[in-house]
Amino acid sequence: DELFAVPPEEFVATRDALAKEAKAQGDAQLALKLKALKKPTLLLWLLNQLTRRAGPRRRACLMSEPASSVSFEKSRAGSSQH
């Protein structure tokens, strides 16, 4: 969670530090998983920040948006056939 809270320009350094810490504590598996994580794109980072800062109700709205868009598009397509 800490890793995805940092600004994109700090991602790699933070990831590497967390991996080094995990390895030092004897968790080589976690260290490998951390090192495999890719730096998120700016868009993904921004969406993550919005989701992290949103309250539970807003988070639910953000997470359900794609489903709402699909439903809207389906209803629009159905109404244009009449």
Side-chain angles (χ1 to χ4, degrees):
D1 200 39
E2 173 189 346
L3 181 57
F4 291 100
V6 300
E9 61 272 9
E10 296 175 21
F11 181 88
V12 173
T14 303
R15 179 201 63 199
D16 292 350
L18 290 170
K20 185 177 180 179
E21 183 181 322
K23 190 173 182 180
Q25 292 178 357
D27 196 342
Q29 194 81 335
L30 177 59
L32 288 173
K33 287 180 182 181
L34 285 166
K35 289 293 277 184
L37 294 173
K38 303 291 184 215
K39 178 179 169 182
T41 64
L42 183 57
L43 177 59
L44 287 176
W45 180 82
L46 286 170
L47 289 172
N48 188 20
Q49 298 311 301
L50 287 172
T51 304
R52 292 169 60 82
R53 288 176 172 81
R57 292 180 70 161
R58 286 189 179 143
R59 191 174 299 121
C61 282
L62 286 170
M63 301 307 287
S64 67
E65 180 61 31
S68 300
S69 297
V70 169
S71 297
F72 175 74
E73 290 300 321
K74 283 183 180 177
S75 68
R76 234 178 68 173
S79 66
S80 67
Q81 294 176 357
H82 295 287

